[in-house]
Amino acid sequence: MARFDVTDAEWALIEPLVPVAATGPLPRRVRDQFNGILWRFRTGSGWR
């Protein structure tokens, strides 16, 4: 886990609120994607 990644306790609170499609394969790295989104907000980098 990197310095600003979501901790296990924080992820336990967030995970039930993350929308996942009822059909199709589940995303394997939802937590990594969530950490990436937080990194973008924290650094102020622009969206493509």
Side-chain angles (χ1 to χ4, degrees):
M1 180 170 25
R3 183 174 171 193
F4 290 110
D5 283 352
V6 176
T7 64
D8 291 335
E10 292 169 338
W11 184 246
L13 294 172
I14 296 168
E15 188 175 21
L17 303 174
V18 175
V20 178
T23 60
L26 297 176
R28 295 182 185 176
R29 301 183 322 162
V30 174
R31 188 172 178 174
D32 291 338
Q33 293 170 352
F34 189 78
N35 282 328
I37 292 168
L38 291 179
W39 176 84
R40 284 202 174 256
F41 283 123
R42 187 173 51 253
T43 61
S45 64
W47 295 96
R48 289 180 94 171

